[in-house]
Amino acid sequence: VIQMLSRLAATGRRADRFLRSCICSILLFPGILNAQEDEEGSAPYQDPDARNHWAYQPVERAKVPTDVPAEWSANPIDAFLWKQLEEAGLKPPSPVGRAALYRRLHYGVTGLPPSPQEVSAFVSDGSPEAYGKAVDSLLSRPQFGERWARHWLDLVRFAETNSFENDRPKPGAWRYRDWVIKALNSDMPYDQFIIEQVAGDELEPRTIDRTVATAFYRLGAWDFDPTDRILAQYDDLDGIVTTVSQVFLATTVNCARCHDHKVDPISQKDYYRMLAFFRGIKPFVKTEEPGIDWDSLTTRLDLPPNREEAEQQANDSLSELTAYEDLVIETLPEKERDSAAADPEVRKRLFEQHKEAVLSKHQKEYYELAHKTIAEMKAKKPEKPRMICVSEVGQKAPPTHVLNRGNPHAEGGEVGPGFPMVLGGGDAVIPSIPVASSGRRLALARWMASKKNPLTARVMVNRLWQHHFGRGIVESPNDFGKLGRAPTHPGLLDWLAAEFMDKGWSMKHMHRLILNSRAYRMSSQPSALARSKDPANRLFSRFNMRRLTAEEIRDSILWANGSLNKKAGGPGVFPRIPFEVLKTQSRPGWGWGFSPREEASRRSIYIFAKRSLRPPILESFDLADTDTSCPVRFSTTQPTQALNMLNSRFMNEEAQVFAALARKEGGDGPVDQVRFVLQRVFSRPVREGEVARAVTFLENLKTDEKLSRNQALTSFCLAALNFNEFLYLE
């Protein structure tokens, strides 16, 4: 085409007729642009070396380097890292201080800060076993699963609503979140973790937990009323193929939907053979008529209706709203106050008469929204809970065709379920199962969870390493292909993968191994030589300092002021969102409920995950995108972060709670109160110079800004929650 256009340009002739003929040819004969395949349906001819790519080779336990110093040879991880540092002419830094180490460990395992008492106990314990005991203790806490489930939910596109304009809720999606937390806390073997999500409904015995696990398939964005229903169905299947191949195999199979993969040895036929595993899944939208087929997408769990819990939540909400009514009633003359106390109807009438003069705009809007939500909760009839899950049309799945240029209205040859040629290929052997399902997904799950698969173990240990050290050994955790990054430490990656499989796919074993390494205990301060030779820290010549994640920031604020509710599990909660933000929806506030303060102060993983509406404190600190698999979060620095941390209603209210806690537990004097606040935000012993500067700051606020003692303490608490040492992990 380029040569022909060049000739036309040289002769001065118009190219429009030629271009029209090219376009017509493509439309009439779409196969002319497809890359040629060999007889096995393998990779395009232009990349004959693709099959030799490192990621497709069998996992072999690499030999641990032996010529390393004795103090770095106890843990094989350290031996691998030392060897490459030595070859680069570098040495690892000295260990980080014990207080900073314990804070790093506590956040790394639980996502929460340690108490000052825990830090002091660890620092004063000089026994060689102290650190190992701390690792074991933290891994056994329920907060471990809450912290690490967040990483998995990022990968699988977890949200509790469907996106698009209506953004309707997904029934019972929170049960999948709880299933992941429970699986991680119980150290479910990773191979079983894969199988239950991909094919839990095809396993015997059938259990509620296995049904819940298959909600994995229903987490993506759903178009409630698409223009082309058949195309929407294939888009949904494409989302499944994309998520499964990238999350479990770090392979971009989805790039071959319309043509052979341009770089990796994945053919278009491979893509549709992979899609065939999911072809029997009942679609989200009926193809013959509008509407959602909830019976195909959900199941009624054999659990009793939880009416008492709903009523208790409504009562708790009403008790909180009483505080708003008290604000109004307390401004009235004594005679009217007495009348309000004696008669609820009088109280209600007086509140309505005087609320405009007492309550702020936001207080009134919040009160009205809460009352509406409570009324809906009380009116709802009890029923057995329904939740999203996967189900198939029957034991015989519909046929799967290669779609020319990915167009579902241009079917090509029929294919059956099979594996990519570069990973062994061949048709899948479908097991016979005693349920109304095809068994195809069970075959795929067992293939992915096999020790013979060269990708599965490598991919997962790389993810564990990534979230402990700030980046993976492979820096593109969802893409081990040629467009991804090569491993910086290939021997270490394979050793870890082999260890993972040999230890029964235990994720906690791998956590324990990584956390007990000397590499994890390195200082984050580089030497001048390391800064010069390894500026990006690709050799792990130091520990990567990092900012806390969005969830860690919010949870740490609530922990610092003593209001964090550690209640686990259950339906998502609804923290208060400013009405200015609620009004960004097409229907302002629709779908965002009301939770009393105690419930709303639970950990961020339990916040209702609505795609079109997220709390600003989380959104501004790089919360994961839920439309696609998110293997790595951005870490940005932007003005809205500072504006939220200093000016938002959330931060100023939490600072008031913090100040009240400091007055209650810190002591009567400013010195004791300041020391209490700093210990809560620093998680370490506080230096006297820091206390003295803070007390001076308080005095200046009172003299220069004319603030009261309580106002000054609140302002100091707000400032303390903005300290870099609070927001960053050394």
Side-chain angles (χ1 to χ4, degrees):
V1 172
I2 293 173
Q3 290 175 351
M4 183 61 69
L5 289 174
S6 299
R7 292 175 186 173
L8 290 171
T11 60
R13 297 172 61 187
R14 294 177 59 186
D16 55 346
R17 291 184 180 178
F18 173 71
L19 290 174
R20 281 200 300 268
S21 66
C22 288
I23 293 170
C24 288
S25 297
I26 292 171
L27 292 175
L28 291 172
F29 305 105
I32 65 173
L33 290 186
N34 288 350
Q36 296 298 313
E37 297 181 356
D38 63 24
E39 292 181 357
E40 295 179 335
S42 62
Y45 174 76
Q46 67 265 26
D47 193 8
D49 296 328
R51 291 172 182 254
N52 298 322
H53 186 60
W54 66 269
Y56 309 135
Q57 309 312 307
V59 174
E60 294 183 4
R61 186 184 286 264
K63 185 178 180 181
V64 180
T66 56
D67 52 339
V68 297
E71 66 270 21
W72 282 82
S73 60
N75 190 315
I77 289 173
D78 300 314
F80 282 105
L81 293 184
W82 174 277
K83 190 64 178 177
Q84 288 194 224
L85 288 173
E86 183 184 45
E87 291 172 355
L90 297 173
K91 291 184 179 180
S94 57
V96 70
R98 288 183 68 80
L101 173 62
Y102 191 74
R103 183 172 186 260
R104 175 191 297 176
L105 176 66
H106 210 282
Y107 268 109
V109 177
T110 70
L112 292 172
S115 69
Q117 295 77 16
E118 288 178 302
V119 175
S120 296
F122 177 76
V123 170
S124 61
D125 188 347
S127 66
E129 299 82 17
Y131 182 75
K133 288 180 179 178
V135 170
D136 290 340
S137 173
L138 291 172
L139 287 175
S140 67
R141 297 186 186 184
Q143 290 77 30
F144 161 75
E146 293 170 338
R147 150 74 167 163
W148 283 85
R150 180 66 266 170
H151 299 313
W152 188 258
L153 298 181
D154 283 2
L155 289 170
V156 299
R157 313 172 292 166
F158 176 78
E160 297 180 72
T161 59
N162 294 331
S163 190
F164 297 93
E165 183 177 1
N166 288 314
D167 203 18
R168 294 167 182 258
K170 296 175 182 291
W174 59 268
R175 295 181 187 275
Y176 174 82
R177 173 247 292 152
D178 285 0
W179 178 87
V180 174
I181 294 172
K182 178 182 176 182
L184 296 180
N185 276 331
S186 65
D187 198 20
M188 177 183 287
Y190 183 62
D191 55 349
Q192 187 68 15
F193 187 69
I194 294 172
I195 292 171
E196 294 206 4
Q197 291 178 84
V198 176
D201 60 311
E202 296 186 332
L203 295 173
E204 287 291 341
R206 299 287 297 275
T207 66
I208 290 177
D209 278 354
R210 287 173 172 175
T211 300
V212 168
T214 65
F216 165 82
Y217 287 100
R218 305 299 192 187
L219 299 176
W222 292 344
D223 189 352
F224 173 70
D225 190 19
T227 303
D228 186 333
R229 296 183 180 280
I230 296 177
L231 178 60
Q233 182 179 343
Y234 274 95
D235 286 345
D236 189 34
L237 289 171
D238 179 72
I240 293 172
V241 172
T242 301
T243 303
V244 168
S245 64
Q246 291 186 12
V247 170
F248 297 115
L249 304 173
T251 302
T252 55
V253 172
N254 52 292
C255 290
R257 179 180 181 178
C258 303
H259 50 70
D260 290 345
H261 200 296
K262 296 303 183 184
V263 178
D264 293 336
I266 306 294
S267 68
Q268 190 183 20
K269 185 176 180 181
D270 283 335
Y271 172 88
Y272 286 99
R273 284 157 65 86
M274 177 73 81
L275 185 145
F277 285 108
F278 314 111
R279 190 67 178 88
I281 292 176
K282 291 181 180 178
F284 169 56
V285 176
K286 294 180 180 180
T287 56
E288 66 276 6
E289 61 185 45
I292 301 175
D293 184 5
W294 284 123
D295 290 335
S296 298
L297 300 170
T298 64
T299 186
R300 294 283 187 189
L301 298 179
D302 190 17
L303 296 171
N306 203 346
R307 182 64 175 176
E308 290 184 6
E309 181 177 339
E311 289 179 348
Q312 183 61 48
Q313 187 176 0
N315 291 334
D316 290 344
S317 302
L318 282 172
S319 66
E320 178 166 317
L321 290 187
T322 302
Y324 282 93
E325 297 171 359
D326 290 342
L327 288 175
V328 175
I329 301 301
E330 288 170 2
T331 66
L332 303 180
E334 182 178 359
K335 184 177 179 179
E336 291 185 321
R337 292 202 306 269
D338 292 342
S339 298
D343 189 338
E345 291 299 322
V346 174
R347 175 186 173 91
K348 182 178 180 181
R349 176 173 53 80
L350 291 172
F351 171 78
E352 292 295 332
Q353 287 177 353
H354 298 280
K355 68 179 181 181
E356 296 293 333
V358 178
L359 298 182
S360 69
K361 173 186 174 183
H362 297 291
Q363 287 173 327
K364 287 184 291 185
E365 290 176 325
Y366 182 68
Y367 183 90
E368 291 166 2
L369 174 64
H371 261 299
K372 179 182 177 182
T373 304
I374 292 167
E376 291 173 351
M377 291 165 56
K378 288 192 169 185
K380 189 175 182 180
K381 295 181 179 180
E383 58 183 16
K384 286 192 174 182
R386 181 190 288 273
M387 77 151 294
I388 50 172
C389 63
V390 77
S391 59
E392 294 200 4
V393 296
Q395 292 188 330
K396 183 175 177 58
T400 303
H401 297 269
V402 175
L403 304 181
N404 293 322
R405 310 303 299 162
N407 184 349
H409 301 289
E411 293 183 345
E414 184 176 343
V415 296
F419 310 116
M421 296 300 297
V422 73
L423 297 176
D427 295 334
V429 177
I430 309 301
S432 176
I433 57 176
V435 295
S437 192
S438 66
R440 292 182 173 190
R441 288 176 289 110
L442 183 57
L444 174 65
R446 287 173 174 169
W447 173 77
M448 289 193 297
S450 169
K451 291 184 178 181
K452 295 180 180 179
N453 192 306
L455 289 168
T456 309
R458 283 184 177 126
V459 170
M460 192 56 187
V461 297
N462 186 65
R463 296 194 193 281
L464 299 179
W465 183 277
Q466 167 196 344
H467 294 300
H468 280 304
F469 284 93
R471 72 159 180 84
I473 298 172
V474 180
E475 295 177 67
S476 51
N478 264 21
D479 187 1
F480 278 22
K482 297 191 74 175
L483 287 176
R485 302 293 295 271
T488 55
H489 298 68
L492 174 59
L493 180 65
D494 272 19
W495 188 91
L496 290 170
E499 178 74 5
F500 188 32
M501 293 186 287
D502 289 349
K503 291 298 188 291
W505 300 89
S506 168
M507 288 182 272
K508 282 194 175 182
H509 170 74
M510 301 309 296
H511 284 293
R512 193 173 289 108
L513 184 67
I514 291 171
L515 293 170
N516 278 294
S517 69
R518 289 185 177 270
Y520 186 80
R521 290 177 269 180
M522 290 190 297
S523 168
S524 61
Q525 300 302 314
S527 65
L529 187 60
R531 191 180 293 112
S532 172
K533 287 192 171 185
D534 189 25
N537 200 21
R538 300 196 77 238
L539 297 176
F540 298 106
S541 58
R542 58 192 176 278
F543 193 85
N544 275 323
M545 179 180 287
R546 70 171 178 88
R547 193 199 68 205
L548 300 182
T549 65
E551 294 89 347
E552 287 172 327
I553 290 173
R554 178 183 175 275
D555 293 353
S556 297
I557 291 167
L558 297 175
W559 180 91
N561 69 17
S563 63
L564 180 67
N565 180 354
K566 293 186 179 180
K567 176 184 173 182
V573 299
F574 299 91
R576 195 178 312 180
I577 289 181
F579 274 82
E580 295 86 347
V581 178
L582 293 178
K583 289 173 182 176
T584 60
Q585 293 186 292
S586 59
R587 288 188 287 171
W590 185 86
W592 193 258
F594 168 82
S595 295
R597 176 176 172 82
E598 183 178 358
E599 278 293 298
S601 296
R602 294 175 64 193
R603 291 196 70 174
S604 299
I605 194 170
Y606 295 116
I607 292 177
F608 183 77
K610 186 175 178 62
R611 279 191 159 95
S612 62
L613 189 66
R614 305 195 285 188
I617 191 66
L618 299 180
E619 180 73 14
S620 62
F621 282 97
D622 310 310
L623 200 64
D625 176 30
T626 56
D627 287 343
T628 58
S629 176
C630 179
V632 181
R633 290 192 185 185
F634 293 110
S635 184
T636 63
T637 302
Q638 52 179 309
T640 53
Q641 295 168 349
L643 291 170
N644 264 297
M645 291 296 290
L646 285 171
N647 300 332
S648 68
R649 187 179 303 108
F650 168 78
M651 288 300 300
N652 281 272
E653 288 178 352
E654 298 308 326
Q656 291 175 12
V657 175
F658 200 0
L661 182 70
R663 289 191 294 270
K664 179 181 178 181
E665 298 187 9
D668 295 329
V671 173
D672 291 336
Q673 291 172 356
V674 160
R675 181 177 285 108
F676 176 83
V677 170
L678 293 178
Q679 286 178 337
R680 297 284 288 184
V681 298
F682 287 160
S683 299
R684 62 166 173 80
V686 181
R687 295 182 285 271
E688 290 305 315
E690 294 169 329
V691 175
R693 285 196 297 274
V695 172
T696 301
F697 175 73
L698 283 179
E699 294 302 319
N700 290 340
L701 288 175
K702 289 186 285 186
T703 57
D704 298 344
E705 304 297 331
K706 309 303 181 184
L707 299 184
S708 68
R709 180 179 177 182
N710 288 346
Q711 289 174 327
L713 182 59
T714 298
S715 294
F716 171 68
C717 289
L718 179 63
L721 294 174
N722 279 269
F723 288 162
N724 276 348
E725 191 170 343
F726 177 68
L727 297 173
Y728 284 82
L729 197 61
E730 184 180 353

